[in-house]
Amino acid sequence: MAQVALDAVTKSWTEVPAVKSVSFVVPEGQLVAILGPSGCGKSTLLRLIAGLEEPTSGRIEIAGRDVTGLPPSERRIAMVFQSYALFPHLSVAENIVFGLKVRRVGRAEREQRLAKVADIVELAPYLDRKPAQLSGGQRQRVALARAIIAEQPVCLMDEPLSNLDAQLRHEMRVEIRALQQRLGMTMVYVTHDQTEAMTMADTVILMKGGSIEQLGPPAALYERPETTFVASFVGAPPMNLVPDGDVTRGIRPEHVRLGPGGAGDVARRGTVASVEYLGADTIVSVSQGEHGRIAARLAGATTLKTGDMLDLHWSPAQESLFDRAGRRIARRTPELAV
Amino acid sequence: MTGIRNTVHAWLLVLPACVLLATFTHIPIVTTFIQSLYSTAKPRRPARFVGLENYEAMLADPIFWKSLWNNLIYAGVSVPISVALAIVMALFVNGKLRGRGFLRLAYFTPTVLPMIAVANIWLFFYNPQYGLVDQFLKPFGISGVNWLGSQDTALWCLIVVAIWKEAGFFMIFYLAALQQISPDLREAASIEGAGRWTFFWRVTFPLLMPTTLFVLVNAVINAFRLVDHIFVMTAGGPDNATSVLLFQIYIVGFKFFDQAYAATLTIVLLALLALLAIGQFLLADKRVHYQ
């Protein structure tokens, strides 16, 4: 059953809409990531689902009910804010049970649910502290606990990890995903970080300029980008976009090989512009003059140096072709099953 | 060596402040206290040590008790009302409404006006024949009341002026504090199901506590300090109905030239204010959350 369903939702403050006729469904127990650069309307979309903004037109359903005109409190959602939105004067425990108190849940049940949730997010030793006495990661857990304890059918996350350092972000990514799967939560997760979206989500919605650019499982976005925008947004480094007459050839750096290649291969020649050693592999960027650069991912270290002339090739079966408008050209590639 | 030099530098830096504070605050307090233990010097009879005699005289002085009582009513009524009004006005002009800049200015105007000018305006408001209050109440059958001339109403009239004058000033502090509260908190609370009322009492009000403490201390001090309008409007009358401590100190010191007794009253006023301030800090300290 779809827990969240949007039907042609549009939001505009000025003449340029921030969200343009967006429709999608989130099946129960799934994590859907809304991904996109800043200003693409992803946060507005989440706020529309939360009821913090009213759509200009369209329909929003949560857990089978039309909630388009309902206030946030009646939408049966929980939300984690980018700033965590913890109440600074309340202890961790009071912050977590704030919603239960407001909704007049009995003391005994409150205590019981608090103990359970504090255990899940490993906050039990810190329940008496104030948010100011916690580290960034712990505050994040309090925000998470507040969302979990509500036991609402849908949980909304607004860039929840963007205030954490890289190490902690990785840990929390794994943890949130594990938690979401263990508790069977339905989650809508907004992020600008493609790694978060790709590693955590069942479905990724990539947005650009207020509309959905592509919607699908992470592997589909990576392997079969529908537009050059998707190709260049997803992946680190992103897909190489090599202009070739009327079309643009898209090829992932890991599919680019050294050497002149054989018959039927696409071949290019250029000078090494940069060599980035990453440990397990090395990214070699080859300059093509005015045709831009092609990045190749090579296993391990390399003896290549900046300025070396280099032959590159790849198999056309592994490339994505785009037309002048940047749209994917359908190909007969049955071997590329997704 | 550098240690000593640092110390000398430090003292030199705080010296101007120390000198000013000592000259205009600490030394006057000490000399006032000493003066309160002496009799008032007369041309033929120098001041002599009288111990606590001035204080005994004060305790037997019905005007002192009247002034103290008036002052307590004045503070007890004007402080809570002006602070509550300040919060309400701040919440109001903090919201999204048209012309809020103008409203903020309007609320703040009484603070900018000199008290003497304000008192003269209110003097006209309270006029029993053609005053604004009289005009306003005429349709309800109330007319010709000598608001400032009656013992029953004079003090209350002054309290209204004080509230009107003070609330806008305190509003500015609350407005500044309200703008420090992240809008995310309101949104988080609204998702949790908290309405405006719950949000105010469970989140906004507690977060305003440091401001409330600051405003309360200032409001109490002002309630004992602000006497300008009494001179213009009632001169302490009728029959000391609007006499408050500071007003009485002025009368005793500069009209009766009884400096020793004025010093005694001053010490009592200072002690009272100190006690109130300490009390407020102790009481509030446990309940105030500083971010």
Coordinates of all heavy atoms in Angstrom, one line a residue, chain A residues 47 50 52 72-73 77-79 81 83 85-90 94 98-99 101-103 130 146 150, chain B residues 182-195 198-199 201-204 206-207 289-291:
Chain A
R47 N 8.3 19.9 2.8 CA 7.4 20.7 3.7 C 6.0 20.7 3.2 O 5.0 20.8 4.0 CB 7.9 22.2 3.7 CG 9.3 22.3 4.4 CD 9.9 23.7 4.1 NE 9.0 24.7 4.7 CZ 9.0 25.1 6.0 NH1 9.8 24.5 6.8 NH2 8.2 26.0 6.4
A50 N 4.7 17.5 4.7 CA 4.5 17.7 6.2 C 3.3 18.6 6.5 O 2.8 18.6 7.6 CB 5.8 18.3 6.8
L52 N 3.6 21.9 6.3 CA 4.2 23.2 6.7 C 4.0 24.3 5.6 O 4.2 25.5 5.9 CB 5.7 23.1 7.1 CG 5.9 22.1 8.2 CD1 7.4 21.8 8.4 CD2 5.4 22.6 9.5
P72 N -0.4 20.0 10.0 CA 0.7 19.0 10.2 C 0.3 18.0 11.3 O 0.6 16.8 11.1 CB 1.9 19.9 10.6 CG 1.6 21.2 10.1 CD 0.2 21.4 10.0
S73 N -0.3 18.5 12.4 CA -0.5 17.6 13.5 C -1.5 16.5 13.2 O -1.5 15.5 13.8 CB -1.1 18.4 14.7 OG -2.2 19.1 14.3
I77 N 2.4 12.1 10.7 CA 3.8 12.1 10.3 C 4.7 12.4 11.5 O 4.3 13.0 12.4 CB 4.1 13.1 9.2 CG1 3.5 14.5 9.6 CG2 3.5 12.6 7.9 CD1 4.1 15.6 8.9
A78 N 6.0 12.0 11.3 CA 7.0 12.5 12.2 C 8.1 13.2 11.3 O 8.1 12.9 10.1 CB 7.6 11.4 13.0
M79 N 8.8 14.1 11.9 CA 9.8 14.8 11.0 C 11.1 15.1 11.8 O 11.1 15.4 12.9 CB 9.2 16.1 10.5 CG 10.1 16.8 9.5 SD 9.1 18.0 8.5 CE 10.4 18.9 7.7
F81 N 14.3 17.5 11.5 CA 14.7 18.7 10.9 C 16.3 18.8 10.7 O 17.0 18.2 11.5 CB 14.3 20.0 11.7 CG 12.8 20.2 11.6 CD1 12.0 19.4 12.4 CD2 12.3 21.2 10.8 CE1 10.6 19.7 12.4 CE2 10.9 21.4 10.8 CZ 10.1 20.7 11.6
S83 N 18.1 21.2 11.4 CA 18.7 21.9 12.6 C 18.4 21.0 13.8 O 18.7 21.4 14.9 CB 18.1 23.2 12.7 OG 16.7 23.1 13.0
A85 N 15.9 20.9 15.5 CA 14.8 21.6 16.2 C 14.5 21.0 17.6 O 13.4 20.8 18.0 CB 13.5 21.5 15.3
L86 N 15.6 20.8 18.4 CA 15.4 20.4 19.8 C 15.1 21.6 20.6 O 15.5 22.7 20.4 CB 16.7 19.7 20.3 CG 17.2 18.6 19.4 CD1 18.5 18.0 20.1 CD2 16.1 17.5 19.3
F87 N 14.3 21.4 21.6 CA 13.9 22.4 22.6 C 15.0 22.6 23.6 O 15.3 21.7 24.4 CB 12.6 22.1 23.3 CG 11.5 21.9 22.3 CD1 10.9 20.6 22.2 CD2 11.0 22.9 21.4 CE1 9.8 20.4 21.3 CE2 10.0 22.6 20.5 CZ 9.4 21.4 20.4
P88 N 15.7 23.8 23.5 CA 17.0 23.9 24.3 C 16.8 23.9 25.8 O 17.7 23.5 26.5 CB 17.5 25.2 23.8 CG 16.4 26.0 23.2 CD 15.5 25.0 22.6
H89 N 15.6 24.2 26.2 CA 15.4 24.3 27.7 C 14.9 23.0 28.3 O 14.8 22.8 29.5 CB 14.4 25.4 28.0 CG 13.0 25.2 27.4 ND1 12.9 25.1 26.0 CD2 11.8 24.9 27.9 CE1 11.6 24.9 25.7 NE2 10.9 24.8 26.9
L90 N 14.6 22.0 27.4 CA 14.1 20.7 27.9 C 15.2 19.7 27.9 O 16.1 19.7 27.0 CB 12.9 20.2 27.0 CG 11.7 21.1 27.0 CD1 10.6 20.5 26.1 CD2 11.1 21.3 28.4
E94 N 12.6 14.9 28.0 CA 11.5 15.8 27.8 C 11.3 16.1 26.3 O 10.2 16.2 25.8 CB 11.6 17.1 28.6 CG 11.4 16.8 30.1 CD 11.8 18.1 30.9 OE1 12.8 18.7 30.6 OE2 11.0 18.4 31.8
F98 N 8.0 15.0 24.2 CA 7.2 16.2 24.0 C 5.9 16.0 23.3 O 4.8 16.4 23.8 CB 8.1 17.3 23.2 CG 7.4 18.6 23.0 CD1 7.5 19.6 24.0 CD2 6.6 18.8 21.9 CE1 6.9 20.8 23.8 CE2 6.0 20.1 21.7 CZ 6.1 21.0 22.7
G99 N 6.0 15.3 22.2 CA 4.8 15.1 21.4 C 3.8 14.2 22.1 O 2.5 14.4 22.1
K101 N 3.4 14.0 25.4 CA 2.7 14.8 26.4 C 1.7 15.7 25.8 O 0.6 15.8 26.3 CB 3.8 15.7 27.1 CG 4.3 15.2 28.4 CD 5.1 16.2 29.1 CE 5.5 15.7 30.5 NZ 6.6 16.6 31.0
V102 N 2.0 16.3 24.7 CA 1.0 17.2 24.0 C -0.2 16.4 23.6 O -1.3 16.9 23.8 CB 1.7 17.9 22.8 CG1 0.6 18.6 21.9 CG2 2.8 18.8 23.2
R103 N 0.0 15.2 23.2 CA -1.1 14.4 22.7 C -1.8 13.6 23.9 O -2.5 12.7 23.7 CB -0.7 13.4 21.6 CG -0.3 14.1 20.4 CD 0.0 13.2 19.3 NE 0.7 13.8 18.1 CZ 0.1 14.4 17.1 NH1 -1.2 14.5 17.1 NH2 0.7 15.0 16.2
K130 N 20.8 18.4 28.9 CA 20.2 19.4 28.0 C 20.8 19.2 26.6 O 22.0 18.8 26.5 CB 20.4 20.8 28.5 CG 19.7 21.1 29.8 CD 18.2 21.5 29.5 CE 17.4 21.5 30.8 NZ 17.8 22.6 31.7
R146 N 12.8 11.3 18.8 CA 11.5 12.1 18.8 C 10.6 11.6 17.7 O 9.4 11.6 17.8 CB 11.8 13.6 18.8 CG 10.6 14.4 19.2 CD 11.0 15.8 19.5 NE 11.5 16.5 18.3 CZ 12.0 17.7 18.2 NH1 12.0 18.4 19.3 NH2 12.3 18.2 17.1
A150 N 7.0 8.7 18.1 CA 5.7 9.1 17.7 C 4.9 7.9 17.1 O 3.7 7.9 17.1 CB 5.8 10.3 16.7
Chain B
S182 N 14.3 29.9 17.0 CA 14.2 29.4 15.7 C 12.8 29.0 15.3 O 12.1 28.3 16.0 CB 15.1 28.1 15.6 OG 14.8 27.3 14.6
P183 N 12.4 29.4 14.1 CA 11.1 29.0 13.6 C 10.9 27.5 13.5 O 9.8 27.0 13.5 CB 10.9 29.7 12.2 CG 12.3 30.2 11.9 CD 13.1 30.2 13.1
D184 N 12.0 26.8 13.4 CA 12.0 25.3 13.3 C 11.3 24.7 14.5 O 10.6 23.7 14.5 CB 13.4 24.7 13.3 CG 14.0 24.8 11.9 OD1 13.3 25.2 11.0 OD2 15.1 24.3 11.7
L185 N 11.5 25.4 15.7 CA 10.9 24.9 16.9 C 9.4 24.9 16.8 O 8.7 23.9 17.2 CB 11.3 25.7 18.1 CG 12.8 25.6 18.5 CD1 13.1 26.4 19.8 CD2 13.3 24.2 18.6
R186 N 8.8 26.0 16.3 CA 7.4 26.1 16.1 C 6.9 25.0 15.2 O 5.9 24.3 15.4 CB 7.0 27.5 15.6 CG 5.6 27.5 15.1 CD 5.2 29.0 14.8 NE 5.1 29.8 15.9 CZ 4.0 29.7 16.7 NH1 3.0 28.9 16.5 NH2 3.9 30.5 17.8
E187 N 7.6 24.8 14.1 CA 7.2 23.8 13.1 C 7.3 22.4 13.7 O 6.4 21.6 13.5 CB 8.1 23.9 11.8 CG 7.8 25.2 11.1 CD 8.6 25.3 9.8 OE1 9.5 24.6 9.6 OE2 8.2 26.2 9.0
A188 N 8.4 22.1 14.4 CA 8.5 20.8 15.1 C 7.4 20.6 16.0 O 6.8 19.5 16.1 CB 9.9 20.7 15.8
A189 N 7.1 21.6 16.8 CA 6.0 21.5 17.8 C 4.6 21.3 17.1 O 3.8 20.5 17.6 CB 5.9 22.7 18.7
S190 N 4.4 22.0 16.0 CA 3.1 21.9 15.3 C 3.0 20.4 14.7 O 1.9 19.9 14.7 CB 3.0 22.9 14.2 OG 3.8 22.6 13.1
I191 N 4.1 19.8 14.3 CA 4.0 18.4 13.8 C 3.6 17.5 15.0 O 2.9 16.6 14.8 CB 5.3 18.0 13.1 CG1 5.4 18.7 11.7 CG2 5.4 16.5 13.0 CD1 6.7 18.5 11.0
E192 N 4.2 17.8 16.1 CA 3.9 17.0 17.3 C 2.5 17.2 17.9 O 2.1 16.6 18.8 CB 4.9 17.3 18.4 CG 6.4 17.1 18.0 CD 6.8 15.6 18.1 OE1 5.9 14.8 18.4 OE2 8.0 15.3 17.8
G193 N 1.8 18.2 17.3 CA 0.4 18.4 17.7 C 0.2 19.6 18.7 O -0.8 19.7 19.3
A194 N 1.3 20.4 19.0 CA 1.1 21.5 19.9 C 0.5 22.7 19.3 O 0.9 23.1 18.2 CB 2.5 21.8 20.5
G195 N -0.6 23.2 19.9 CA -1.2 24.4 19.4 C -0.5 25.6 19.9 O 0.5 25.5 20.6
T198 N -0.2 25.9 23.8 CA 0.7 24.9 24.4 C 2.1 25.3 24.0 O 3.0 25.3 24.9 CB 0.5 23.5 23.8 OG1 -0.9 23.3 23.8 CG2 1.2 22.4 24.6
F199 N 2.3 25.7 22.8 CA 3.7 26.1 22.3 C 4.2 27.3 23.1 O 5.3 27.3 23.6 CB 3.7 26.4 20.8 CG 5.0 26.8 20.3 CD1 6.0 25.8 20.1 CD2 5.4 28.1 20.0 CE1 7.3 26.1 19.7 CE2 6.6 28.4 19.6 CZ 7.6 27.4 19.4
W201 N 3.3 28.2 26.2 CA 3.6 27.9 27.6 C 4.7 26.9 27.8 O 5.5 26.9 28.8 CB 2.4 27.5 28.4 CG 1.5 28.7 28.7 CD1 0.3 28.9 28.1 CD2 1.8 29.8 29.5 NE1 -0.2 30.1 28.6 CE2 0.7 30.6 29.5 CE3 2.9 30.1 30.3 CZ2 0.6 31.9 30.2 CZ3 2.8 31.3 31.0 CH2 1.7 32.2 30.9
R202 N 4.9 26.0 26.8 CA 5.9 24.9 27.0 C 7.2 25.3 26.4 O 8.2 24.8 26.7 CB 5.4 23.6 26.4 CG 4.1 23.1 27.0 CD 4.3 21.9 27.9 NE 5.1 20.9 27.3 CZ 6.0 20.2 28.0 NH1 6.2 20.4 29.2 NH2 6.6 19.2 27.4
V203 N 7.2 26.2 25.4 CA 8.4 26.5 24.7 C 8.8 28.0 24.7 O 9.8 28.4 25.3 CB 8.4 26.0 23.2 CG1 9.7 26.3 22.5 CG2 8.1 24.5 23.1
T204 N 7.9 28.8 24.2 CA 8.3 30.2 24.1 C 8.5 30.9 25.4 O 9.6 31.5 25.7 CB 7.1 31.0 23.4 OG1 6.8 30.3 22.2 CG2 7.6 32.4 23.0
P206 N 9.2 29.6 28.5 CA 10.5 29.2 29.1 C 11.7 29.8 28.5 O 12.7 30.2 29.1 CB 10.5 27.7 29.0 CG 9.1 27.3 28.8 CD 8.4 28.5 28.1
L207 N 11.7 29.9 27.1 CA 12.9 30.4 26.4 C 13.0 31.9 26.6 O 14.1 32.5 26.4 CB 12.8 30.0 24.9 CG 13.0 28.6 24.6 CD1 12.9 28.3 23.1 CD2 14.4 28.1 25.1
H289 N 16.6 29.3 31.9 CA 17.5 28.5 31.0 C 18.2 29.5 30.1 O 17.7 30.2 29.4 CB 16.7 27.6 30.2 CG 17.5 27.0 29.1 ND1 18.4 26.0 29.3 CD2 17.6 27.4 27.8 CE1 19.0 25.7 28.1 NE2 18.6 26.5 27.2
Y290 N 19.6 29.5 30.3 CA 20.4 30.4 29.4 C 20.9 29.5 28.3 O 21.4 28.4 28.5 CB 21.6 31.0 30.2 CG 21.1 32.0 31.2 CD1 21.0 31.6 32.5 CD2 20.8 33.3 30.8 CE1 20.6 32.6 33.4 CE2 20.4 34.2 31.7 CZ 20.3 33.9 33.0 OH 19.9 34.8 34.0
Q291 N 20.8 30.0 27.0 CA 21.2 29.2 25.9 C 22.7 29.2 25.7 O 23.4 30.2 26.1 CB 20.6 29.7 24.6 CG 19.3 28.9 24.4 CD 18.5 29.5 23.2 OE1 18.3 30.7 23.1 NE2 18.1 28.6 22.3

